[in-house]
Amino acid sequence: LFSSRFVGINASDINYSAGRYDTSVKPPFDIGFEGVGDVVALGLSASADYTVGQAVAYVKAGSFAEYTIVPAKQAVPLPSVKPEFLTLMVSGATAYISLKELGELSEGKKVLVTAAAGGTGQFAVQLAKKAKCHVIGTCSSDEKGGFLKSIGCDRTINYKTENVESVLRKDYPEGVDVVYESVGGKMFDLALNSLATKGRLIVIGFIAGYQNPTGLQPVKAELLPAKLLKKSASIRGFFLNHYLSEYKMALKHLLKMYERGDLVCEVDFGDMSPEGKFTGLESVFRAVDYMYMGKNIGKIVVELPHSVNSKL
């Protein structure tokens, strides 16, 4: 049994709560995917590997809770209870595994990351830089652009003030080799049209459509076969649940990088949001809204204050 101290907000929380991930599950059901906290009680089998008070992270449905029962094999021991570790659980692992398995990154490749200053975009930028790629990141403000430059992004495009399509056409006439795409809708079309010969577009989400009743914004994909054929290009979908065999290895690697100081894990607690910092489960809905307004820099995290008169 874990007492959660921090829980992570993900774009897919909306898809999950809308019942799109598992249509057989009828409300009410628990939501949230990840948390960091300490062990408060142990089952018999868990006592061999864990101790009460130990810092752990976990990824499982229903993490928006003050106390969570987690199978020992799903828990990840941590050096301490820090929100930065939470950024790696879903967001960092998604970037690491998808780029490793599907990105085929190599030195000098041009990589476009959409929503680059978001929870997972920040890792796609840094990991592509570590692979010696040239990284282009789209974002919605100059402040986000500044953050992206600070983590090594070579070219930032503020889509509110610049025309992404004409920037790409002018500065990258040969196209981009890899796109890490999480926006969908118009951005997907634009990214698809910007692919270089043998380019690869990795779909890790389509946040532009999650709030729609159907969950999808139409894309102009009628010419898709011709577009892919003409460039020998490909589109690959990535869903973390299908890569759980790689997960432990990815997380170990990311934790090492963070502890060495090789990885920035930017956390956004919503201090700049209208009602201030996201504290307590009641602020989860504000945190989700904040993400959909495109305000966050880095991963949105909600802090759950420890209750002195705990029910336990």
Side-chain angles (χ1 to χ4, degrees):
L1 181 68
F2 293 129
S3 163
S4 295
R5 295 283 300 282
F6 301 102
V7 292
I9 303 294
N10 290 285
S12 24
D13 288 331
I14 289 270
N15 270 350
Y16 190 68
S17 58
R20 293 190 192 117
Y21 276 6
D22 185 352
T23 45
S24 68
V25 180
K26 296 286 170 263
F29 52 82
D30 297 333
I31 54 174
F33 293 123
E34 54 184 342
V36 163
D38 9 53
V39 178
V40 287
L42 292 162
L44 278 177
S45 59
S47 52
D49 302 308
Y50 293 93
T51 54
V52 169
Q54 186 171 357
V56 280
Y58 51 90
V59 175
K60 73 180 277 283
S63 69
F64 291 161
E66 287 165 343
Y67 293 95
T68 314
I69 293 174
V70 178
K73 63 176 186 298
Q74 282 179 14
V76 178
L78 296 174
S80 60
V81 178
K82 278 172 80 172
E84 283 77 7
F85 291 127
L86 192 52
T87 66
L88 302 174
M89 301 302 295
V90 171
S91 302
T94 294
Y96 182 89
I97 300 170
S98 65
L99 288 173
K100 181 173 175 283
E101 297 292 318
L102 310 177
E104 296 167 39
L105 301 183
S106 58
E107 189 169 346
K109 291 271 188 263
K110 296 178 188 70
V111 179
L112 171 66
V113 180
T114 63
T120 187
Q122 64 172 331
F123 295 111
V125 167
Q126 293 178 80
L127 294 168
K129 279 306 295 173
K130 298 228 176 301
K132 297 190 166 78
C133 295
H134 176 93
V135 183
I136 308 133
T138 69
C139 62
S140 60
S141 73
D142 291 343
E143 193 194 351
K144 290 183 179 192
F147 164 68
L148 288 173
K149 288 202 175 79
S150 78
I151 58 169
C153 196
D154 297 288
R155 172 67 159 99
T156 61
I157 308 174
N158 176 350
Y159 64 80
K160 294 274 173 79
T161 57
E162 295 180 89
N163 181 307
V164 181
E165 197 169 7
S166 47
V167 169
L168 290 173
R169 203 180 302 132
K170 184 166 112 358
D171 294 355
Y172 305 95
E174 300 289 300
V176 295
D177 302 296
V178 179
V179 183
Y180 185 84
E181 216 296 278
S182 61
V183 177
K186 290 190 178 75
M187 190 63 88
F188 173 90
D189 287 324
L190 202 150
L192 176 66
N193 293 336
S194 306
L195 283 177
T197 302
K198 295 186 182 171
R200 299 171 289 290
L201 191 154
I202 305 171
V203 177
I204 66 124
F206 35 95
I207 192 169
Y210 290 171
Q211 290 169 301
N212 288 5
T214 60
L216 275 171
Q217 263 198 345
V219 292
K220 296 192 179 81
E222 303 94 338
L223 301 171
L224 189 61
K227 283 179 180 175
L228 295 179
L229 176 75
K230 205 167 71 181
K231 293 177 173 174
S232 292
S234 63
I235 298 175
R236 308 283 303 266
F238 178 86
F239 188 45
L240 187 58
N241 293 14
H242 299 145
Y243 286 86
L244 295 180
S245 57
E246 306 291 309
Y247 184 76
K248 279 258 156 76
M249 173 276 300
L251 209 52
K252 218 169 164 172
H253 195 88
L254 289 164
L255 284 165
K256 267 205 197 98
M257 285 174 77
Y258 173 65
E259 289 179 319
R260 277 202 312 261
D262 286 345
L263 201 60
V264 172
C265 297
E266 190 68 20
V267 173
D268 192 331
F269 278 117
D271 296 298
M272 308 308 284
S273 70
E275 292 167 57
K277 189 175 173 177
F278 304 131
T279 309
L281 287 174
E282 62 277 14
S283 69
V284 163
F285 75 93
R286 280 205 299 122
V288 171
D289 268 352
Y290 181 71
M291 173 174 49
Y292 279 92
M293 289 188 295
K295 297 285 190 234
N296 59 298
I297 295 183
K299 172 89 180 178
I300 301 178
V301 172
V302 174
E303 183 168 8
L304 304 185
H306 263 194
S307 149
V308 182
N309 53 356
S310 161
K311 304 276 192 304
L312 293 170

